[in-house]
Amino acid sequence: MTETSAYPRIGLALGGGGARGLAHIPVLEALDDLGIKPVQIAGTSIGAIFGAAYASGLSGEEIRQIVLETLSDRKAVLSRLWQLRPRKFADMFRAGPVQFDPERVLDVFVSNHLPDSFEDLQIPLRLLATDFYGCQEVDFESGPLTRAIAASIAIPAIFRPVKIGDRLLIDGGVVNPLPFDGLRANCDIVIAVDVVGAPVPRKTREDVNMMDSLFGSSQILMQTITNQKLKLDQPDILIRPPNDSIRVLDFLKADQILERAESLRKVTKEKLKTLTKETMQVTE
């Protein structure tokens, strides 16, 4: 019997939260430290990216290195962002702020690290998006991978919606910011990583600017949805990084985010070791 097979079947849910989602990485590393892999992963928004990367066979440490190499050089990041400028001159003068194409963002930053389709993944993966006009959750478990991720990360006002079939899709966190539901049927233990956070007062100013208001409101709404879900069902292990002033788009603070989240690696291992022992004792 291998070390992995000695453990119960693990389901992993990776939630949405923008740059705070980098805190998923220590949790993935904790699983690697224990020599186990989930039998199923569900991801929404930033959790869709890390879920896809981990399901593709990348280790937590490899994902960490990719993130640091991608985000450590500010000039290189800005150069890549310049590639995402509107291709058509007329697009610069549309009403409202310019929105990025999430598929192009993935192409520029992460697609070369991911396979083309769900069928190429090593671990079954479910990604969530929101049907804008249908007002409901949309799940992806097969077909092209990048387009599904693009739909899942399409944060309103930052990214354009993604059209798939006859549906216009936006960020999955709008309807399901912590997608642990659905994992119980195939898994003995469900781990959920909630990285949404909450608005934090600024030290320098008392007023709230437009972006803080927009993203802070989104955090409040997603926390409300998650809290209601937790009243109905609970994951076996719920991991949350400390709340702090990290903003949704603070990806250039990757070092800082990872450092603050490092304790999650130990916490995850301790909780998982305890729970797996209890689960195996029950099944014996």
Side-chain angles (χ1 to χ4, degrees), residues 11-15 178-180 190-194 235-240:
L12 179 63
L14 303 179
L178 190 61
F180 61 88
V190 175
I191 304 171
V193 189
D194 178 9
D236 299 290
I237 298 176
L238 178 59
I239 303 295
R240 282 175 165 148

Side-chain angles (χ1 to χ4, degrees), residues 153-164:
I153 69 169
I155 300 173
I158 299 299
F159 295 117
R160 298 176 191 168
V162 175
K163 187 173 183 180
I164 299 181

